[in-house]
Amino acid sequence: MIYQIYPRSFRDLNGDGIGDLAGITSELGHLAELGVDAVWLSPFYRSPQRDAGYDVSDYCDVDPLFGTLADFDAMMIRTQELGLRVIVDLVPNHCSDQHAAFQAALAAAPNSAERSMFIFRDGRGESGDLPPNNWESHFGGPAWTRTTDADGQPGQWYLHLFDSSQPDFDWDNPAVHAEFERVLRFWLDRGIAGFRVDVAHALVKAPGLPDWHGLANGNSSEGYPGEEAPMFGQPALHDIYRSWRLILAEYGPDRILCAEANVDPLPRLAHWVRPDEMHQAFNFPYLHAGLDLGPLRSVITESLESLDAVGAPSTWVLSNHDVVRHATRFGYDGHGPRDGDGIGTEDPQPDEELGRTRAAAATMFMLGLPGGAYLYQGEELGLPDGIDIPSALRQDPTFARTDGERLGRDGCRVPLPWRADQEHYGFGDGATPWLPQPESFARLSRDLQASSGTSHLALYRSMLALRRELDLGRGSLQWAEAWCTGSSLAYLNGNVLVVMNLNHEPLELPSGAILLRSSLDVQGNQRLLSPGQTAWLQIAAKPAE
Ligand code: BGC
């Protein structure tokens, strides 16, 4: 079980309103207590922070905002004491426009070695004033920006699948491969356990950079990159990951690569985790299935079939720093907000209690599944998204690039509440946190939940302890048809029956010891599973079909 730390929002020890590495070190004990095996840190590298650190200007240094390399090493020592492993984020598709290599490319002539690290092209049209193709940025607007030459004349264009401050590397160039091999080794030498690879499906682009007549940002109408999109999922990607796997293997058999490969359908995702490629790939189709039981069941079946075929575990996930937190998504009847769009005060509002109840049920359903699982910081507290964020404070480039039409991802990135009676709920005792914390954080802070036997946090601790004790991650799945009714879904993992009830009526549980239920505060008949809840039961024999 891997826990995602979003450093900007975890814990601010130096009082500047932004989280830091020393803050992480100071609170790691809580994560060990929670029962996580490893932590994954979102980027803390040198960066102008135009995309919250996913715009890296130096891959081998810590941004002063977060501390120093010595702080990183101190954090590593603490994780070792606690028996936690550390995975770091690698951002190989693009860097920051302030990266020395891109600055050198801007200063150099067209077709120079410096420019060939990136994707520079002449524009279309007589005077080259049209972008080289029709691709769009994932954050809105065109995926190309025109440069200005030293003499002040308009120059070539460069490609950026994300913000204009995030130029894409050209992975057809061996020098780019060599640079990233250096980066991999730099962090492996510092003792990390592996990498989460950012937009792993985007590094290689189709030859000739052809126009794309699907959604021009590469997505399909369902939101996933279209199978034929020229900017995603190109076959040559796989050789890159094979070569990285060999590098990791030099450091021991237990280093891992996890792909953020937002591709569909699932058999295609399985290509990322073939035996000589990455070890894991986030299962985003699972995240998107939400609580729609039909699609949820199909995604799980298909995931296990596709991934079993290549001998890889599935990697379940419900929240991260790019999507509305699941405690908020599940507070809507029907469909909540679209990925990356966020919720504002003008939008239909979620029902917080309903969301939190269903989030507990959904997490419990997920943590019973065989495979790996990722949790996102704060979900163990049942935190909702921040909704009341003034426009002036919104920092996700999506907000600016769409003129506020898409609010972006700030809502799920709000700094954590640690201690109810401290300033900024214990996130830091200095400057105001970089994003405002909702008032509900007073009730949801970690210290209050830690002292309650029935809190969301108490449930997470119990789930993680039981999952480990019963070794559910290494188990298998068989659907328990008798409890798959259309409004409930159930499976067996070994002799553990996992039942989720989304009906409006309570569900009578089968015989067997109730190991855990997603509401720890059960009144009345213990054998009834209330609406919006999940239970784990130990059963003696396979239940009747
Ligand atoms: C990361 C995002 C980031 C984007 C560009 C992603 O998928 O998770 O937070 O904005 O890559 O690096």
Side-chain angles (χ1 to χ4, degrees), residues 1 3 27 29-36 363-364 367 375 379-381 418 445-469 516-517 520 536:
M1 214 293 306
Y3 179 99
E27 306 289 3
H30 291 285
L31 302 187
E33 255 171 53
L34 178 62
V36 311
T363 306
M364 197 161 166
L367 290 176
L375 303 181
E379 69 165 89
E380 73 277 24
L381 305 177
W418 290 91
S445 69
R446 184 173 305 258
D447 61 339
L448 294 186
Q449 297 205 38
S451 59
S452 152
T454 54
S455 64
H456 213 84
L457 180 61
L459 173 69
Y460 266 69
R461 281 190 187 153
S462 304
M463 289 191 294
L464 294 179
L466 256 181
R467 177 176 163 85
R468 182 178 295 198
E469 183 188 321
L516 194 64
R517 47 207 305 161
L520 295 176
W536 289 356

Side-chain angles (χ1 to χ4, degrees), residues 51 54 94 139 162 196 198-199 260 321-322 409 413:
D51 183 20
Y54 283 91
H94 46 264
F139 295 152
F162 293 88
R196 173 260 188 193
D198 192 58
V199 281
E260 187 213 22
H321 65 293
D322 289 330
R409 301 158 295 173
R413 300 173 174 182

Side-chain angles (χ1 to χ4, degrees), residues 317-347:
V317 60
L318 284 167
S319 278
N320 64 31
H321 65 293
D322 289 330
V323 299
V324 173
R325 286 177 174 279
H326 64 290
T328 296
R329 293 201 310 272
F330 297 155
Y332 289 88
D333 271 321
H335 288 284
R338 217 171 63 121
D339 253 23
D341 277 6
I343 303 164
T345 47
E346 318 269 281
D347 296 312

